[in-house]
Amino acid sequence: GENVEQHPSTLSVQEGDSAVIKCTYSDSASNYFPWYKQELGKGPQLIIDIRSNVGEKKDQRIAVTLNKTAKHFSLHITETQPEDSAVYFCAAKGSGNTPLVFGKGTRLSVIA
Amino acid sequence: EPEVTQTPSHQVTQMGQEVILRCVPISNHLYFYWYRQILGQKVEFLVSFYNNEISEKSEIFDDQFSVERPDGSNFTLKIRSTKLEDSAMYFCASRELLNTGELFFGEGSRLTVL
């Protein structure tokens, strides 16, 4: 089955700096790659996703890149703010009803 | 904005007891899921449910677990005889479309087994 690796496990950045989180996946059939933000005591919330027919997607301060050949994808947050502090999970999914498989998460701390 | 709701938010139970966690998925969604997150670890898939039957389950979802959609709105996860290692946050999720829809998560039910 699919296996998703995520790095780093923790990341601290100064407010205003950029943050990058990287993930790799194992199943070349995976074609959907969402990123979730989880705040303390809450469920994961989708922040951005990308499909395998696209190499990059941007939404304001958040961007995601996908390299299908290397089977890795990354989340980029620019101009970080304290409210960006949370745990971020990458995930991968194949077609049909294959389950979404999550990475282990990255705890991002933005220091004011 | 429509949301997935879960109850209870926190349940404490004795080892060996039965537990039922309840979820109300978003009303027009057709695909339902349970995920588990042990404290500080990643979110793990348990089971998916569509058209009133399990469509896929992980190795975690053994005979002690069952799911049910008893009426048109609720989706439940039952653990028959809880073990200490069942202590975790359990998330319900739902999806409208199979291949293109976002997976919406509830806020979770924290289960503590003593």
Side-chain angles (χ1 to χ4, degrees):
Chain A
E2 176 64 274
N3 182 48
V4 177
E5 298 288 337
Q6 183 172 350
H7 300 279
S9 55
T10 59
L11 179 60
S12 290
V13 298
Q14 292 290 327
E15 183 178 0
D17 287 352
S18 295
V20 180
I21 303 170
K22 297 183 179 182
C23 289
T24 61
Y25 62 99
S26 60
D27 188 351
S28 56
S30 289
N31 58 16
Y32 176 63
F33 307 93
W35 286 86
Y36 284 83
K37 177 182 181 182
Q38 186 180 30
E39 295 176 332
L40 194 62
K42 297 198 169 184
Q45 299 289 315
L46 180 75
I47 54 171
I48 194 167
D49 56 13
I50 191 167
R51 300 193 181 276
S52 58
N53 57 346
V54 174
E56 185 172 353
K57 185 176 176 181
K58 190 172 180 182
D59 182 4
Q60 299 182 336
R61 296 187 296 109
I62 295 172
V64 59
T65 59
L66 170 65
N67 183 328
K68 281 195 304 180
T69 305
K71 295 207 281 282
H72 61 69
F73 55 115
S74 302
L75 177 72
H76 304 249
I77 305 174
T78 58
E79 301 170 33
T80 53
Q81 300 165 3
E83 51 266 37
D84 294 331
S85 297
V87 179
Y88 291 81
F89 290 96
C90 63
K93 182 186 180 304
S95 60
N97 203 21
T98 55
L100 199 58
V101 177
F102 285 82
K104 288 190 175 181
T106 296
R107 182 173 298 280
L108 173 65
S109 300
V110 179
I111 303 162
Chain B
E1 188 175 320
E3 58 182 18
V4 176
T5 57
Q6 290 185 240
T7 55
S9 56
H10 188 193
Q11 181 155 357
V12 180
T13 191
Q14 294 290 326
M15 192 168 55
Q17 295 296 304
E18 175 183 283
V19 160
I20 297 176
L21 305 178
R22 292 182 167 79
C23 169
V24 178
I26 296 172
S27 62
N28 63 333
H29 285 193
L30 303 175
Y31 303 89
F32 314 116
Y33 305 81
W34 283 100
Y35 281 79
R36 178 182 83 175
Q37 186 180 32
I38 294 171
L39 187 64
Q41 298 188 24
K42 68 175 172 181
V43 180
E44 300 174 290
F45 169 74
L46 292 179
V47 65
S48 59
F49 192 86
Y50 168 69
N51 201 25
N52 283 320
E53 60 183 23
I54 291 173
S55 38
E56 190 147 351
K57 59 183 180 180
S58 71
E59 55 272 17
I60 302 169
F61 194 87
D62 61 22
D63 292 345
Q64 292 300 310
F65 290 88
S66 63
V67 288
E68 195 177 36
R69 189 157 160 82
D71 52 46
S73 59
N74 289 287
F75 178 51
T76 61
L77 174 70
K78 181 193 288 187
I79 309 174
R80 267 182 262 284
S81 177
T82 49
K83 303 187 288 285
L84 295 175
E85 53 265 36
D86 293 328
S87 295
M89 194 74 144
Y90 288 81
F91 291 106
C92 174
S94 69
R95 181 196 303 274
E96 179 183 8
L97 300 172
L98 185 58
N99 286 322
T100 60
E102 172 188 346
L103 199 60
F104 288 82
F105 283 83
E107 301 241 314
S109 292
R110 179 171 298 284
L111 175 64
T112 302
V113 182
L114 302 176

